[in-house]
């Protein structure tokens, strides 16, 4: 058996992992990135519509800055996020996008003069300023005050991933693809690396490192219907659980309003951002009736619920796959679609035989909300280190550091991947530089042997269950009972049924007995991992008796700031347990820069207020009134936060001095 | 009305000395809108647990699932079974790339070698201060770069290329397109002479025989023919 040594081990080769690898390499550390697939095929590539950064170059983004982006993000999260992390993020996002531009991402640019666009379903002419010509432009997205989402047509994640991978290769980062981490090596609360399976030959290797980072993305595939790639199974979360790490807010699951039916492939929010609208079976545009202000562009949790509400009223379109609604982008015109929404057009034509540029009904695409994003993840500090396992870091979608709270804004995730790769990647690098570890090779060998034996045991199982059936059942349970609308009874059933399934995984029969290249064996060790993650989601949802962001309880309709302004922590207390143990971490209103209030969209009057919110608001008002100086100094007074100097520096915008 | 379809795939595990390449037939019921991703997932879950294939995004954007489908290199996830009138579909792994098992091939190592070979990254001679306004780029120029940046490294152009079969180190249309992409990027300071150093030989721009299967099979409809010709004209001037 093989043991490899490195300074920094990064599990996951999407945008977050690769950008972190650049940070560690730039600080002189030996770095290895492990990836399930060739890194350019990571799910980051599927991000379509764009990346939020408050550049404010386009006329429709004029006046944008970090403060506006911060407020949008906090409201979007339904006050569940860590506001210091949100501040770190919004201040670094403009730097991230400028770095990416220099690395070759061909961001769409402002063209001076008039251009026609569609706003509120009507053709409108806007005039871009001469002085903004050639700077990075932006489109509209849900839940934002300004047009802030920068893009390369609808292939933004793709161009970002290629640029970051190319930079990593330029620096000589060691990238090993078709490698899967199946457990972490830990002792006494310290992480020493991972046990890894080589998917090209089935062999096991121990990677020993001073610091280990998990950047494995989301866990959407625990649901039957998800926009996520087939590799988004949450195995990174599962190995962290097994190592004793806390996961945060696992019940916070985002359902995107417009995946196409039935394949579940995403159609970007940019469709609506650019002026597309939702329609019902009568062709009627219904969103303005529910959300008069933001209409089709309220936050994703709100739009998804409104869509299902409308279908429940009998307004859905009947199909063999159940009821759906229509997404109409034909009003944007063929020219716009074929330039800025061409992947959407390609997907719709290929999988549904519909050309969305065809005028009228003919071009409408069938859509239905489906699982899309995992707000929860490995609970870390704002510097990205696990709160209870030393030397274990996480960033990107796999982490809960926690910038999204209970709902993420569109355009904030692909942005988070690179921003956290910069910030957390650098803190991770500092940790690896400053840390020396004693390597107990016997312990490493023991963990390797343990995993080796485990795979043999799985192959030897001679029970009566099929691992494929167990997986299907899990995905159905999550779909039916832990979905957009949740209630105590269903959630209780879900938890109990998932526990039964987890037990059944010890009674399976693997028909394919090859020890090396065997995709059935892979299912056999992955499905129990997925079940553990699913149990964290279901139990967290069962016990959270309130509605916040994407977590919506039909039996507890209000956001409860009095009792539930906290973060769920789940962990696996004993190896043989059938369910996680939950704990809670309070959010401190008195430290918030923006205390809880109404989001500006969604149902009004559904908040159980915490008296501290008003108290903190009064305090903030007083400080603001007395404040002399610029907005940066005021922000520092209201909520000081730590960030690397190179990222904390002031972002220049058009019109600022010394351009 | 559903019908039965037959999918015939090559099965072979080169790492197993007892394995012999064989064709295996799978018969299954076609469902509406069925893609080869859905069909192969069904086969793997319910007929043959030993069959290997690679799917990631299943939406035609990641480039993982290239295979030879009834003689043509295509992305399996965006191929509908209804496209085949007689309901008979034959699947082979992509040629040129190292076979891992059955339909699973190692495109990753090939693409990594190509990327390093053609220095597939920006080379800039100026430092960027990321706190300051970004460099201005003409909107049309950004769009042109984006057009070539759409390549997803699926390898279909390489699998369809006669030169790639004869010359193991040929960088393929994917590599030549990549160089064309950086040559028009205003962030990149390299000159034509620099690019000549990378691709001015028979493993590069002069290896192409202009048979153009690359452009025929590109799932992203990249203008490979005109870009290869464009690079060749530039490189010939230096030669």
């Amino acid at each position: 058996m093989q043991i490899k040594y490195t300074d920094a081990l990064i599990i996951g080769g999407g945008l977050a992992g690769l950008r972190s690898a650049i940070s560690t390499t730039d600080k002189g550390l030996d770095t290895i990135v492990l990836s399930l697939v060739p890194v350019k095929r990571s799910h980051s590539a599927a991000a379509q519509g764009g990346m939020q950064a408050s550049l404010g170059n386009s006329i429709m983004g004029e006046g944008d800055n970090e403060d506006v982006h911060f407020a949008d993000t906090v409201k979007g999260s339904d006050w569940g996020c860590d506001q210091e992390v949100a501040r770190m993020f919004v201040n670094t996002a403009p730097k991230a996008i400028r770095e990416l531009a220099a690395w070759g991402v061909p961001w769409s640019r402002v063209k001076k003069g008039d251009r026609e666009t569609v706003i509120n379903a009507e053709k409108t002419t806007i005039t871009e300023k001469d002085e903004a010509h050639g700077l990075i432009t932006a489109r509209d997205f849900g839940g934002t005050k300004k047009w802030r989402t920068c893009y390369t047509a609808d292939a933004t994640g793709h161009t970002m991933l290629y640029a970051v991978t190319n930079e990593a290769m330029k620096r000589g980062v060691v990238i090993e693809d078709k490698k899967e981490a199946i457990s972490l090596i830990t002792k006494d609360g310290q992480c020493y690396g991972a046990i890894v399976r080589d998917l090209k030959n089935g062999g096991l290797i121990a990677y020993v490192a001073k610091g280990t980072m998990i950047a494995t993305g989301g866990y959407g595939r625990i649901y039957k219907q998800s926009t996520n790639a087939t590799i988004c199974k949450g195995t990174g979360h599962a190995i962290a659980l097994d190592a004793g790490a806390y996961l945060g807010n696992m019940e916070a699951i985002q359902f995107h309003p417009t995946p196409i039916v039935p394949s579940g492939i995403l159609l970007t929010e940019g469709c609506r951002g650019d002026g597309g609208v939702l329609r019902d079976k009568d062709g009627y545009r219904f969103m303005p009736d529910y959300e008069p202000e933001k209409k089709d562009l309220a936050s994703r949790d709100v739009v998804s619920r409104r869509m299902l509400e409308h279908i429940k009223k009998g307004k859905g379109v009947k199909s063999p796959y159940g009821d759906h609604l229509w997404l109409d982008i034909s009003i944007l015109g063929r020219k716009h679609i074929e330039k800025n929404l061409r992947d959407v057009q390609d997907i719709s034509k290929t999988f549904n035989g519909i050309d969305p540029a065809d005028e009228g009904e003919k071009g409408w695409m069938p859509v239905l909300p489906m699982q899309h994003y995992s707000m929860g993840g490995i609970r870390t500090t704002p510097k990205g280190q696990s709160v209870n396992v030393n030397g274990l870091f996480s960033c990107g979608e796999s982490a809960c550091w926690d910038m999204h709270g209970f709902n993420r804004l569109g355009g904030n995730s692909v942005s988070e991947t690179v921003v956290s790769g910069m910030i957390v990647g650098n803190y991770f690098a500092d940790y690896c530089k400053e840390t020396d570890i004693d390597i107990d090779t016997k312990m490493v060998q023991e963990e390797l042997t343990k995993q080796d034996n485990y795979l043999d045991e799985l192959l030897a199982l001679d029970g009566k269950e099929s691992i494929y059936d167990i997986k299907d059942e899990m995905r159905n349970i999550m779909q039916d009972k832990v979905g957009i609308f949740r209630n105590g009874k269903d959630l209780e059933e879900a938890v109990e049924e998932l526990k039964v399934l987890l037990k059944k995984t010890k009674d399976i029969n693997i028909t394919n007995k090859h020890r090396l290249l065997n995709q059935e064996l892979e299912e056999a060790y992955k499905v129990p991992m997925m079940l553990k993650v699913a149990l964290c989601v279901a139990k967290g949802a069962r016990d959270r008796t309130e509605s916040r962001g994407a977590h919506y309880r039909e039996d507890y309709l209000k956001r409860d700031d009095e009792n539930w302004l906290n973060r769920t922590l789940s962990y696996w207390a004993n190896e043989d347990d059938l369910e996680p143990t939950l704990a809670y971490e309070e959010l401190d209103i008195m430290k918030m820069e923006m205390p809880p209030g109404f989001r500006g969209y969604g149902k009004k009057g559904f908040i159980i207020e915490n008296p501290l919110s008003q108290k903190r608001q009064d305090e903030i008002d007083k400080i603001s009134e007395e404040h002399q100086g610029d907005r940066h100094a005021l922000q520092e007074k209201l909520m000081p936060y730590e960030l690397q100097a190179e990222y904390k520096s002031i972002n220049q915008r058009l019109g600022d001095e010394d351009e | 009305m559903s019908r039965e379809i037959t999918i015939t795939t090559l099965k072979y595990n080169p790492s197993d000395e007892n394995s012999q390449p064989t064709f295996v037939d799978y018969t299954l019921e076609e469902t509406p809108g069925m893609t080869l991703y859905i069909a192969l997932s069904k086969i793997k879950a319910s007929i043959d647990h030993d069959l290997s294939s690679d799917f990631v995004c299943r939406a035609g954007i990641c480039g993982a699932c290239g295979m030879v489908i009834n003689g043509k290199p295509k992305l399996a996830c965006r191929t509908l079974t209804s496209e085949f009138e007689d309901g008979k579909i034959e699947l082979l792994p992509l040629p040129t790339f190292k076979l891992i098992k059955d339909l699973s091939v190692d495109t990753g190592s090939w693409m990594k070698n190509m990327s390093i070979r053609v220095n597939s990254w920006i080379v800039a001679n100026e430092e960027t201060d990321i706190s300051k306004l970004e460099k201005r780029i003409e909107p049309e120029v950004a769009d042109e770069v984006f057009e070539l940046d759409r390549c997803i490294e699926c390898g279909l152009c390489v699998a369809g290329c006669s030169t790639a079969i004869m010359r193991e180190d040929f960088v393929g249309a994917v590599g030549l397109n990549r160089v064309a992409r950086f040559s028009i990027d205003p962030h990149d300071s390299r000159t034509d002479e620099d690019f000549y150093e990378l691709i001015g030989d028979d493993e590069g721009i002069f290896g192409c025989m202009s048979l153009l299967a690359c452009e025929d099979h590109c799932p992203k409809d990249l203008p490979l023919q005109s870009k290869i010709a464009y690079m060749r004209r530039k490189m010939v001037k230096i030669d």
Side-chain angles (χ1 to χ4, degrees):
Chain A
M1 278 180 236
Q2 214 184 340
I3 301 182
K4 282 193 181 183
Y5 298 90
T6 185
D7 294 328
L9 176 66
I10 297 175
I11 301 166
L15 278 169
L18 290 167
R19 182 60 188 80
S20 296
I22 290 173
S23 300
T24 53
T25 306
D26 284 351
K27 288 200 167 165
L29 294 157
D30 277 347
T31 303
I32 296 179
V33 176
L34 304 176
S35 174
L36 284 175
V37 294
V39 291
K40 284 177 176 170
R41 313 211 188 292
S42 305
H43 191 50
S44 301
Q48 298 174 353
M51 157 171 176
Q52 282 206 45
S54 61
L55 301 178
N57 292 324
S58 163
I59 192 77
M60 301 303 288
E62 207 170 38
D64 201 6
N65 61 31
E66 298 81 7
D67 297 348
V68 188
H69 191 185
F70 171 77
D72 285 345
T73 302
V74 174
K75 285 180 197 168
S77 81
D78 221 355
W79 278 272
C81 74
D82 180 326
Q83 297 194 5
E84 289 182 33
V85 170
R87 268 290 171 195
M88 294 162 77
F89 164 71
V90 297
N91 211 60
T92 310
K95 298 179 178 77
I97 203 163
R98 286 166 173 165
E99 180 177 85
L100 290 167
W103 290 352
V105 176
W107 297 111
S108 287
R109 302 285 170 153
V110 178
K111 191 177 171 64
K112 64 184 173 190
D114 290 352
R115 68 183 169 105
E116 201 170 77
T117 181
V118 174
I119 299 175
N120 194 18
E122 285 185 21
K123 287 200 169 125
T124 312
T125 301
I126 58 177
T127 310
E128 297 287 4
K129 289 178 295 189
D130 286 2
E131 59 270 32
H133 185 76
L135 296 174
I136 296 170
T137 192
R139 58 164 43 131
D140 200 5
F141 249 48
T144 65
K145 267 217 153 66
K146 304 280 178 184
W147 290 22
R148 186 187 299 127
T149 304
C150 307
Y151 60 95
T152 56
D154 53 359
T156 312
H158 165 83
T159 56
M160 291 169 67
L161 183 62
Y162 272 54
V164 173
T165 308
N166 288 337
E167 282 298 310
M169 284 195 288
K170 179 162 99 182
R171 287 161 169 78
V173 174
V174 177
I175 299 171
E176 300 185 14
D177 61 48
K178 299 230 175 204
K179 293 272 167 69
E180 177 171 35
I182 58 170
S183 84
L184 294 174
I185 306 165
T186 51
K187 192 182 169 189
D188 302 330
Q190 176 79 36
C191 182
Y192 294 91
I195 305 296
V196 173
R197 191 164 168 270
D198 186 333
L199 301 175
K200 286 185 202 169
N201 61 30
L204 290 185
I205 312 157
Y207 285 76
V208 175
K210 293 191 194 178
T212 303
M213 169 178 281
I214 292 180
T216 50
Y219 43 92
R221 282 273 155 180
I222 60 173
Y223 283 83
K224 184 180 176 195
Q225 291 184 314
S226 168
T227 63
N228 285 190
T230 60
I231 51 174
C232 303
K233 295 189 163 98
T235 50
H237 300 90
I239 61 173
L241 266 183
D242 283 344
Y246 291 146
L247 305 184
N249 283 347
M250 293 296 280
E251 67 271 33
I253 301 277
Q254 176 166 87
F255 298 84
H256 194 289
T258 62
I260 199 161
V261 176
S263 65
I265 297 168
L266 180 70
L267 304 176
T268 173
E269 186 161 312
C271 290
R272 284 170 291 134
D274 288 4
V277 295
L278 292 165
R279 296 187 189 281
D280 65 14
K281 66 171 186 181
D282 306 317
Y284 178 68
R285 184 188 174 206
F286 57 91
M287 276 308 294
D289 295 349
Y290 294 101
E291 296 294 330
E293 198 180 328
K294 297 297 290 184
K295 304 181 180 72
D296 300 84
L297 282 174
S299 64
R300 289 177 180 174
D301 56 329
V302 170
V303 177
S304 290
R305 280 197 294 273
R306 296 301 197 187
M307 288 169 72
L308 293 192
E309 213 179 318
H310 201 61
I311 288 175
K312 277 185 185 171
K313 288 182 186 166
K315 296 291 183 183
V317 185
K318 301 262 177 264
S319 89
Y321 305 98
D323 291 2
H324 64 77
L325 293 160
W326 298 117
L327 174 61
D328 173 13
I329 60 170
S330 66
I331 51 176
L332 308 180
R334 185 169 291 276
K335 196 176 152 210
H336 179 90
I337 291 168
E338 288 181 351
K339 179 167 186 285
N340 286 318
L341 295 168
R342 59 202 281 181
D343 277 5
V344 164
Q345 184 187 33
D346 185 43
I347 288 164
S348 177
K349 280 165 92 167
T350 304
F351 295 94
N352 292 65
I354 296 168
D355 181 353
D358 282 347
E359 273 179 46
E361 259 174 88
K362 206 174 154 212
W364 297 354
M365 300 177 284
V367 293
L368 192 67
M370 295 179 200
Q371 194 285 342
H372 178 60
Y373 188 80
S374 316
M375 272 79 72
I378 297 165
R379 178 69 188 130
T380 72
T381 65
K383 291 183 177 177
Q385 184 166 206
S386 160
V387 291
N388 66 331
V389 177
N390 245 332
L392 177 65
F393 285 70
S394 182
C395 76
E397 188 176 353
S398 62
C400 175
W401 60 329
D402 158 10
M403 93 167 239
H404 305 301
F406 279 78
N407 176 67
R408 168 178 76 73
L409 293 184
N412 258 357
S413 71
V414 82
S415 194
E416 179 195 30
T417 60
V418 283
V419 167
S420 65
M422 294 161 83
I423 298 171
V424 173
N426 269 296
Y427 284 128
F428 175 58
D430 295 341
Y431 175 89
C432 293
K433 277 188 97 128
E434 290 157 7
T435 305
D436 282 308
I437 52 168
D438 289 328
I439 299 166
D440 178 350
T441 52
K442 189 162 163 250
M443 170 197 65
V444 174
Q445 189 60 52
E446 276 169 8
E447 184 60 31
L448 198 50
T449 307
K450 185 180 158 193
Q451 294 303 325
D452 198 39
N453 292 340
Y454 173 59
L455 295 181
D456 284 340
E457 284 161 24
L458 282 176
L459 277 181
L461 284 177
D462 192 20
K464 53 184 185 303
E465 305 290 343
S466 147
I467 197 69
Y468 295 96
D469 292 346
I470 293 174
K471 184 171 79 171
D472 283 348
E473 275 183 57
M474 169 192 69
R475 297 178 72 199
N476 284 326
I477 293 167
M478 295 305 289
Q479 188 72 28
D480 296 340
K481 298 181 176 173
V482 199
I484 297 180
F485 291 108
R486 302 170 173 183
N487 65 68
K489 182 178 160 284
D490 283 353
L491 291 166
E492 176 61 26
E493 284 174 13
V495 171
E496 294 310 314
E497 289 166 11
L498 291 168
K499 280 159 70 176
V500 172
L501 288 182
L502 184 56
K503 231 181 196 165
K504 279 188 184 174
T505 59
K506 302 201 166 58
D507 188 31
I508 53 169
N509 178 15
I510 301 189
T511 57
N512 182 1
K513 298 296 181 190
H514 290 284
R515 170 58 203 268
L516 300 175
L517 296 178
N518 178 350
Q519 293 191 342
E520 188 183 9
L521 174 63
E522 288 167 23
E523 294 285 336
Y525 65 74
K526 281 185 208 201
V527 172
M529 291 174 152
M530 294 169 81
L531 275 164
K532 284 185 173 180
V533 171
L535 273 155
C536 291
V537 177
K539 192 174 177 184
R542 183 193 74 183
D543 287 8
R544 182 171 284 276
T545 50
E546 66 152 355
S547 290
R548 184 180 297 276
H551 172 70
Y552 191 82
R553 286 285 298 256
E554 292 167 313
D555 43 356
Y556 296 92
L557 293 169
K558 290 183 177 176
R559 190 183 85 201
D560 185 352
D561 292 340
E562 191 114 66
N563 299 298
W564 285 102
L565 198 58
N566 59 22
R567 198 168 283 128
T568 309
L569 299 176
S570 40
Y571 60 99
W572 222 264
N574 303 292
E575 205 174 329
D576 295 328
D577 285 354
L578 286 176
E579 61 185 297
T581 305
L582 302 186
Y584 294 92
E585 180 190 342
E586 294 302 313
L587 270 60
D588 187 352
I589 294 176
M590 296 312 289
K591 284 191 176 156
M592 288 182 184
E593 186 178 334
M594 209 168 98
F598 176 59
R599 297 165 94 188
Y601 41 79
K603 284 183 182 161
K604 274 187 188 158
F606 278 75
I607 302 172
I608 298 171
E609 281 180 37
N610 187 317
L612 287 177
S613 299
Q614 191 55 51
K615 190 177 165 205
R616 176 62 178 155
Q617 190 58 53
D618 294 343
E619 226 176 65
I620 289 169
D621 291 346
K622 187 158 178 280
I623 297 170
S624 309
E625 238 166 67
E626 288 166 6
H627 174 74
Q628 292 178 331
D630 67 6
R631 63 183 180 91
H632 304 289
L634 175 61
Q635 194 286 315
E636 201 63 38
K637 265 190 205 164
L638 294 175
M639 190 186 68
Y641 66 97
E642 197 185 328
L643 181 63
Q644 291 100 340
E646 68 265 36
Y647 300 142
K648 199 152 191 186
S649 63
I650 290 175
N651 296 304
Q652 189 191 29
R653 289 192 178 73
L654 196 61
D656 291 350
E657 277 169 38
D658 65 28
E659 187 191 328
Chain B
M1 275 290 287
S2 70
R3 59 170 185 168
E4 279 202 336
I5 54 170
T6 304
I7 295 180
T8 306
T9 75
L10 181 85
K11 279 193 75 180
Y12 177 46
N13 181 357
S15 65
D16 177 355
E17 54 190 32
N18 299 319
S19 172
Q20 292 289 328
T22 44
F23 280 100
V24 180
D25 291 342
Y26 305 103
T27 305
L28 67 163
E29 197 179 306
E30 188 177 47
T31 50
M34 184 180 245
T35 61
L36 281 176
Y37 161 65
I38 295 170
L40 285 169
S41 300
K42 278 205 173 155
I43 292 169
K44 283 156 75 168
S46 56
I47 307 177
D48 183 355
H49 297 165
D50 180 50
L51 180 66
S52 293
S53 61
D54 289 324
F55 288 96
V56 182
C57 75
R58 58 83 174 92
I61 48 139
C62 82
C65 65
M67 44 186 93
V68 177
I69 303 169
N70 284 5
K72 303 253 188 218
K74 290 172 112 176
L75 292 181
C77 77
R78 48 173 291 156
T79 302
L80 298 167
T81 54
S82 59
E83 290 170 30
F84 305 92
E85 271 177 29
D86 61 357
K88 294 196 189 320
I89 303 166
E90 184 188 77
L91 305 179
L92 294 168
L94 281 189
T96 320
F97 302 99
K98 190 176 171 220
L99 179 65
I100 296 175
K101 182 173 173 292
D102 308 334
L103 299 169
S104 172
V105 295
D106 185 2
T107 51
S109 300
W110 196 99
M111 291 297 165
K112 186 158 47 175
N113 290 339
M114 175 279 295
S115 296
I116 292 168
R117 163 79 208 280
V118 306
N119 288 0
S120 163
W121 46 72
I122 294 278
V123 176
N125 51 16
E126 53 194 51
E127 285 266 307
T128 300
D129 181 345
I130 57 175
S131 297
K132 302 291 180 208
L133 281 195
E134 63 275 17
K135 182 184 171 114
R136 288 170 195 268
I137 305 291
E138 280 303 312
E140 292 77 13
V141 173
D143 292 346
E144 275 171 47
V145 175
F146 170 70
E147 187 63 27
L148 305 187
D149 211 31
R150 291 167 48 246
C151 167
I152 56 171
E153 294 193 356
C154 60
L156 300 190
C157 60
V158 180
C161 174
S162 304
T163 304
I165 287 166
M166 292 188 296
R167 291 183 191 276
E168 204 180 324
D169 293 326
F170 182 54
V171 299
V174 55
L176 299 172
N177 174 69
R178 188 64 47 80
V179 174
R181 177 242 175 274
F182 285 107
S183 77
I184 59 169
D185 191 326
H187 294 96
D188 201 307
S189 60
R190 283 175 288 188
T191 62
D192 289 349
E193 283 76 11
D194 296 327
F195 291 120
Y196 185 84
E197 289 298 316
L198 297 170
I199 56 157
D201 56 22
D202 288 349
E203 268 76 52
I205 196 73
F206 303 120
C208 170
M209 301 186 291
S210 303
L211 299 176
L212 304 173
C214 51
E215 184 159 327
D216 291 346
H217 295 121
C218 177
K220 289 283 155 184
D221 296 322
L222 292 170
L224 298 171
Q225 177 180 3
S226 62
K227 289 304 145 188
I228 291 173
Y230 165 80
M231 285 313 293
R232 188 189 285 126
R233 280 198 303 277
K234 278 189 173 211
M235 295 297 104
V236 164
K237 281 183 199 152
I238 292 161
D239 197 20

